[in-house]
Amino acid sequence: MQFRVPRGTADILPGEVEKWRYLEDKARDLCRRYHFSEVRTPIFEHTELFQRGVGETTDIVEKEMYTFTDRAGRSLTLRPEGTAPAVRAFVENKVYAQSQPTKWFYIGPMFRYERPQTGRMRQFHQFGVEVFGARDPGLDAEIIALGRDYYEEIGLTGVTAEINSVGCPACRPVHREKLVAFLTPRREKLCRDCQARLDRNPLRVLDCKNESCREITAEAPKITEFLCDECGPHFEAVKETLDLLGVNYRINPRLVRGLDYYTQTSFEYVLEGLGAQAGTLGGGGRYNGLVEEIGGGDVPGIGFALGLDRILVALKDQGIQLPVGRRLDCYVVTLGEEARKRAIPLLAELRRAGCSAERDVLDRKMKGQMKAADRERSRYVVILGEEELSRDAAVVKEMATGRQEEVRLDRLVDYIRAGSKR
Ligand code: AMP
């Protein structure tokens, strides 16, 4: 029997892993500059956290969660997203009692039972940020700019931030009423999913991907026309700060998060040309009611999550090579038993000195060892031949130039170290 990875998951092998590390390192460095701290929460949580924190009427909770019962009969779920766990950790650890705002970021795998295709996996990976404790609309814009900076720094081009405001529990009902009045006479023409949404969560009809539903809702009342005295100016201030930051954005009235705890700013990063699904690289928004929903106080929040798998698809699509590679500083070629014995402590010393060093462990002849050094793109090859060893020396060859010289063994580590730093 041959085992295969579960559908919608993938191995990340050497060669690919370096790209992931690069994306993760970039995220960490950017977050350092924006003064965020990393948080790590468990891979699984109590199912109820997501039912509350993501929402009962969302696709995620209705049909995409990996939920299981543990041996003690508890219902647990592999995390489908990172915001609800971050909020839980914020509340449970009483982080709200410390000085605010709290600025967190996370990187890690998420799990959703979806139909796999390019850029859509069942185990996928997100880089996300969350800020708790601040209502400043300028912060919303800075968060949107952080995501923009990330895409820019890894070399992706053509990313646009789509933004919208979804109002708040004060102004949303006014819009909702108008929306229902608009949609009800058109009910029969909506897709089956949207007919159900109309009853339970009409805002979600606006973000249906179905072409005919989109045509119907093109003329639907826009929430931005109904924003209250708090949400209207907030949205204006977000746009103003986005302009100050030079963020490329466009307003998309379809961008909704149909739950009461999502408020005001809502945004997505889209890439033209990757298709409706894979083209969404990331998304986020404000959730001023979520901390309270999860059992904390009235603490506002805002955040985003960017899909790393999709970024890699987009980078490949744009023909962008990340500056990564495994480099070997030194391959030690040995000829004969005596040389092998000298090579072992030499390798240890090189590695202690910070150089990456390798030797033959397959009993290859000189030619085979040179080939291996070449394949590993080693910067230097050190050849321990009998004659040189008798003089306590070795031949060092720089592979790129072909230049070679004899170096005394007691100087060898310094020689390689100095060269590999250049
Ligand atoms: P969401 O949490 O649904 O707002 O997703 C945020 C981002 O995560 C999306 O824009 C995608 O880039 C990524 N994402 C979400 N679901 C998947 C998935 N099943 N496979 C790969 N990436 C995903």
Side-chain angles (χ1 to χ4, degrees):
M1 164 163 183
Q2 260 223 321
F3 290 106
R4 309 185 123 241
V5 291
R7 203 164 126 74
T9 70
D11 297 316
I12 305 174
L13 298 178
E16 277 297 302
V17 166
E18 290 76 8
K19 296 180 193 165
W20 285 88
R21 294 259 312 250
Y22 181 85
L23 292 186
E24 292 159 10
D25 289 347
K26 277 280 174 198
R28 290 201 168 87
D29 185 58
L30 187 62
C31 283
R32 175 188 62 77
R33 285 177 273 149
Y34 273 85
H35 199 46
F36 279 72
S37 308
E38 182 167 354
V39 65
R40 298 188 187 191
T41 61
I43 295 292
F44 55 85
E45 298 268 359
H46 291 289
T47 302
E48 207 190 333
L49 174 69
F50 299 113
Q51 290 168 337
R52 288 273 201 101
V54 180
E56 295 277 8
T57 60
T58 57
D59 286 351
I60 292 181
V61 171
E62 279 185 344
K63 48 189 190 201
E64 294 173 359
M65 293 205 300
Y66 278 94
T67 297
F68 60 97
T69 308
D70 77 1
R71 285 167 196 277
R74 299 178 196 95
S75 179
L76 299 170
T77 294
L78 299 185
R79 62 180 188 191
E81 56 100 55
T83 301
V87 172
R88 183 209 35 77
F90 176 80
V91 174
E92 181 173 349
N93 296 288
K94 299 190 174 56
V95 181
Y96 51 80
Q98 301 168 14
S99 71
Q100 298 303 315
T102 297
K103 298 170 75 175
W104 281 354
F105 77 93
Y106 60 84
I107 301 172
M110 307 291 160
F111 306 85
R112 293 183 198 171
Y113 191 80
E114 293 194 84
R115 216 152 43 104
Q117 58 187 62
T118 307
R120 201 202 286 159
M121 304 286 288
R122 289 185 175 170
Q123 174 174 338
F124 60 99
H125 305 79
Q126 289 183 334
F127 153 42
V129 307
E130 316 289 349
V131 181
F132 301 107
R135 292 176 199 276
D136 180 356
L139 171 67
D140 304 25
E142 266 189 75
I143 296 287
I144 296 171
L146 199 172
R148 183 269 317 255
D149 290 354
Y150 185 64
Y151 295 123
E152 240 175 54
E153 290 193 7
I154 59 180
L156 267 187
T157 52
V159 181
T160 302
E162 294 195 338
I163 65 165
N164 195 23
S165 174
V166 296
C168 69
C171 46
R172 211 160 22 222
V174 187
H175 169 251
R176 183 192 161 111
E177 205 176 295
K178 293 274 195 277
L179 184 64
V180 171
F182 174 89
L183 291 174
T184 304
R186 297 166 171 84
R187 180 184 200 104
E188 298 309 315
K189 297 200 188 107
L190 293 170
C191 73
R192 200 178 285 269
D193 281 348
C194 279
Q195 293 187 9
R197 284 178 190 136
L198 181 52
D199 299 324
R200 287 189 303 157
N201 196 345
L203 213 53
R204 291 281 323 278
V205 176
L206 295 176
D207 74 355
C208 181
K209 301 281 182 269
N210 194 312
E211 220 20 78
S212 66
C213 292
R214 291 178 84 83
E215 267 171 40
I216 293 165
T217 51
E219 301 300 320
K222 296 181 172 63
I223 178 124
T224 42
E225 289 160 15
F226 299 89
L227 297 178
C228 65
D229 290 348
E230 203 177 302
C231 296
H234 186 100
F235 194 42
E236 289 310 308
V238 172
K239 289 188 277 183
E240 210 172 277
T241 317
L242 285 174
D243 289 333
L244 285 177
L245 290 164
V247 174
N248 178 23
Y249 71 90
R250 122 177 116 228
I251 295 166
N252 176 1
R254 291 183 181 279
L255 244 176
V256 295
R257 316 209 71 152
L259 292 161
D260 283 349
Y261 21 92
Y262 293 104
T263 53
Q264 301 178 328
T265 315
S266 162
F267 58 95
E268 270 179 7
Y269 300 97
V270 296
L271 189 64
E272 318 306 330
L274 262 193
Q277 273 293 331
T280 308
L281 291 181
R286 202 166 249 293
Y287 46 83
N288 287 353
L290 185 56
V291 176
E292 208 159 8
E293 181 68 27
I294 293 188
D298 175 21
V299 179
I302 176 165
F304 70 51
L306 315 183
L308 297 179
D309 311 71
R310 278 193 200 166
I311 287 178
L312 285 168
V313 173
L315 284 169
K316 194 164 168 217
D317 222 53
Q318 296 191 356
I320 295 164
Q321 298 274 352
L322 296 178
V324 295
R326 286 178 309 147
R327 220 194 57 190
L328 183 61
D329 294 323
C330 179
Y331 194 102
V332 180
V333 170
T334 56
L335 300 168
E337 200 39 44
E338 175 61 20
R340 218 181 295 274
K341 279 200 182 124
R342 304 284 287 265
I344 302 285
L346 179 64
L347 276 149
E349 211 186 323
L350 280 164
R351 289 167 180 161
R352 267 198 299 270
C355 301
S356 56
E358 186 63 291
R359 70 177 177 104
D360 171 56
V361 287
L362 297 177
D363 209 13
R364 281 181 283 219
K365 304 247 175 341
M366 163 111 176
K367 202 168 149 203
Q369 295 186 36
M370 292 301 286
K371 264 196 190 156
D374 211 38
R375 242 190 337 264
E376 298 296 336
R377 287 181 290 131
S378 184
R379 176 140 196 183
Y380 292 103
V381 176
V382 171
I383 303 160
L384 297 180
E386 239 172 76
E387 203 192 310
E388 288 84 9
L389 277 183
S390 69
R391 294 194 291 272
D392 282 326
V395 173
V396 180
K397 181 173 175 188
E398 189 174 28
M399 295 301 264
T401 58
R403 204 168 54 114
Q404 65 181 57
E405 61 182 311
E406 194 170 307
V407 179
R408 273 185 32 209
L409 286 182
D410 58 3
R411 280 194 49 240
L412 195 92
V413 172
D414 284 341
Y415 184 96
I416 301 287
R417 190 163 53 179
S420 51
K421 272 196 195 133
R422 266 204 303 273

